[in-house]
Amino acid sequence: MLASLITARALIPAVPVVVLVGAAPSYLWLWFTIRVATLPLPKRWYHKLEQFLCWGPYQRLFLFFAEGLSGVEFRVYGDIPEKKDPVNGLIIANHQSTSDTIVINSFAMRLGNAGYLHFFAKDELKYVPLFGVYWHQHGLIFVKKGQNDIERIRKQLIDKKENNIPMLMVLFPEGTRFNPANTKAVEKSQAYARSIGYPKLTKVLTPRITGTNLFVEELGDHLKKIFDLTIAYESVDGRMVRPDTVEFLDSVRTVHILCKQREVTKVGDEKGWLFDSFIEKDKLLVEFEKTLTLDGAPPPSHIYSWSSFRETIIPVLYTGVLCSPLLFSERARKLWVQTVLIVPVLQLLAKPFWK
């Protein structure tokens, strides 16, 4: 019996994977329908519909499992936004694990912005079967390591502004995840800091300013706020950890988030603000390793554990309705199989032409 329980517990992370991947073809066809139906309309209408009917519900479905299965407690400190205050904005954060996207999704949902999230992403991700094509159409900005086409990115940002697309853009200024075991990246970061006269950082990497400056320069009057987040993870045995997604579900007790809001118009006039922000993050994380707190104690209203049930249960039911034809229609099941088999092939064939 004990062995059965252990086996069942080990299979728990597979549940969200099966549901999220299984629902993907249905969401993909819904997106395709929206895309075709809105071709004669302004681009903003397409993005409003796909954010409301596809991206937002799917992100909340993801959080239903990520928060519900993990049982993680979230503690939000600092300059805490008003709940349900959806604004066009930029999130910058320290980057240390794949779990950071879960945390940022959770933070955005409580702003009422889960459907508005846009990310910088590695170029390889647009070729992920089924998902990549939609991520591209949603508006993720794909970049190649060491080969960033600034003008292409600038045009994408200008397009978002000119079409007044609602968005909460996410940027990790370090460029890659901080991992003390990756000594090459750490040494490169510290050498860069020395070259510009900044101190050596030990818990974060020295931020790269190009992407952030580009955002502020091109989207300054489109973005209302910058949410400057410091993220730290506390394990079930009381240690600072950097968990991957599976470890987040199993080994993290508390996520600590310190938020500072910045006005975009003021940031443009503050030279070195991003470097100063990461110097502060470094100090906070050094202290967090000792005390397991970022800024004293947050107010009780900003300590929550799966309080998003109200936010996520409707998208779960919505997904069930969206996928229900698979239960009753042989034709729907055949279409599901054809989508899973054909779309990845089309993605590979389109690779030489897909920029």
Side-chain angles (χ1 to χ4, degrees):
M1 183 176 179
L2 179 60
S4 299
L5 289 174
I6 293 173
T7 301
R9 181 172 178 80
L11 291 175
I12 285 176
V15 174
V17 174
V18 170
V19 174
L20 290 167
V21 174
S26 298
Y27 272 96
L28 192 63
W29 276 106
L30 175 60
W31 158 75
F32 183 74
T33 302
I34 293 170
R35 191 72 189 96
V36 172
T38 57
L39 282 175
L41 302 176
K43 189 179 289 187
R44 176 177 170 82
W45 284 100
Y46 158 67
H47 282 286
K48 289 284 285 186
L49 284 172
E50 68 90 6
Q51 287 173 344
F52 181 72
L53 295 175
C54 294
W55 186 261
Y58 197 82
Q59 294 299 309
R60 291 183 175 91
L61 177 68
F62 170 70
L63 287 173
F64 175 83
F65 291 110
E67 293 186 1
L69 290 180
S70 68
V72 167
E73 178 184 81
F74 291 78
R75 292 177 170 250
V76 186
Y77 309 74
D79 189 8
I80 302 169
E82 293 296 326
K83 189 176 182 182
K84 295 302 178 187
D85 181 24
V87 296
N88 289 333
L90 172 65
I91 289 179
I92 64 169
N94 59 305
H95 193 22
Q96 52 195 323
S97 81
T98 53
S99 301
D100 296 337
T101 56
I102 299 175
V103 175
I104 288 173
N105 268 285
S106 180
F107 178 83
M109 184 172 66
R110 287 165 177 82
L111 289 180
N113 269 357
Y116 295 170
L117 282 176
H118 290 237
F119 289 86
F120 259 93
K122 293 180 180 179
D123 189 69
E124 295 82 3
L125 291 179
K126 69 184 178 187
Y127 303 112
V128 173
L130 298 179
F131 294 92
V133 64
Y134 174 61
W135 290 339
H136 182 271
Q137 291 296 309
H138 173 68
L140 271 64
I141 296 177
F142 295 96
V143 294
K144 294 182 180 180
K145 190 173 182 180
Q147 302 179 33
N148 296 343
D149 185 345
I150 298 299
E151 288 308 310
R152 177 181 58 81
I153 295 172
R154 189 186 303 276
K155 287 179 181 178
Q156 288 180 274
L157 296 176
I158 292 173
D159 180 72
K160 293 177 187 295
K161 181 171 70 173
E162 289 181 345
N163 288 283
N164 196 24
I165 296 171
M167 64 176 176
L168 188 60
M169 184 63 74
V170 180
L171 179 64
F172 297 113
E174 292 160 285
T176 190
R177 294 192 292 270
F178 172 80
N179 180 354
N182 186 352
T183 55
K184 183 178 179 180
V186 172
E187 290 171 359
K188 183 178 179 180
S189 165
Q190 293 175 350
Y192 174 54
R194 286 194 301 272
S195 71
I196 58 176
Y198 272 80
K200 180 175 74 173
L201 306 177
T202 60
K203 299 299 180 184
V204 296
L205 300 176
T206 308
R208 304 290 171 159
I209 64 173
T210 304
T212 309
N213 284 348
L214 189 61
F215 269 81
V216 173
E217 178 184 340
E218 297 299 340
L219 299 177
D221 55 352
H222 185 59
L223 302 178
K224 304 303 180 184
K225 294 180 181 178
I226 294 177
F227 299 101
D228 187 353
L229 305 184
T230 302
I231 301 171
Y233 301 89
E234 176 186 349
S235 71
V236 292
D237 58 354
R239 296 179 296 108
M240 177 181 175
V241 290
R242 300 176 183 85
D244 62 25
T245 304
V246 174
E247 290 169 335
F248 181 89
L249 295 176
D250 190 56
S251 305
V252 173
R253 176 169 61 194
T254 308
V255 176
H256 301 257
I257 309 166
L258 175 63
C259 176
K260 289 195 172 184
Q261 294 190 50
R262 302 177 185 272
E263 297 295 329
V264 176
T265 52
K266 293 180 180 179
V267 159
D269 299 325
E270 295 178 11
K271 186 177 181 180
W273 71 271
L274 186 62
F275 292 115
D276 293 340
S277 170
F278 272 77
I279 290 171
E280 183 179 5
K281 291 181 194 299
D282 191 68
K283 292 177 181 177
L284 286 166
L285 292 172
V286 168
E287 191 63 25
F288 178 84
E289 194 166 26
K290 303 173 187 175
T291 64
L292 297 179
T293 183
L294 286 175
D295 187 31
S301 60
H302 291 88
I303 300 175
Y304 57 87
S305 179
W306 207 26
S307 62
S308 66
F309 183 78
R310 298 186 305 275
E311 307 275 0
T312 57
I313 191 62
I314 291 177
V316 170
L317 297 174
Y318 171 80
T319 301
V321 172
L322 187 64
C323 297
S324 60
L326 297 173
L327 298 176
F328 307 110
S329 169
E330 179 67 22
R331 184 177 180 182
R333 289 192 288 272
K334 287 182 179 179
L335 181 61
W336 187 95
V337 172
Q338 290 168 350
T339 303
V340 170
L341 295 176
I342 295 173
V343 171
V345 175
L346 293 177
Q347 287 177 251
L348 288 175
L349 293 175
K351 188 173 182 179
F353 313 99
W354 199 354
K355 295 182 179 180

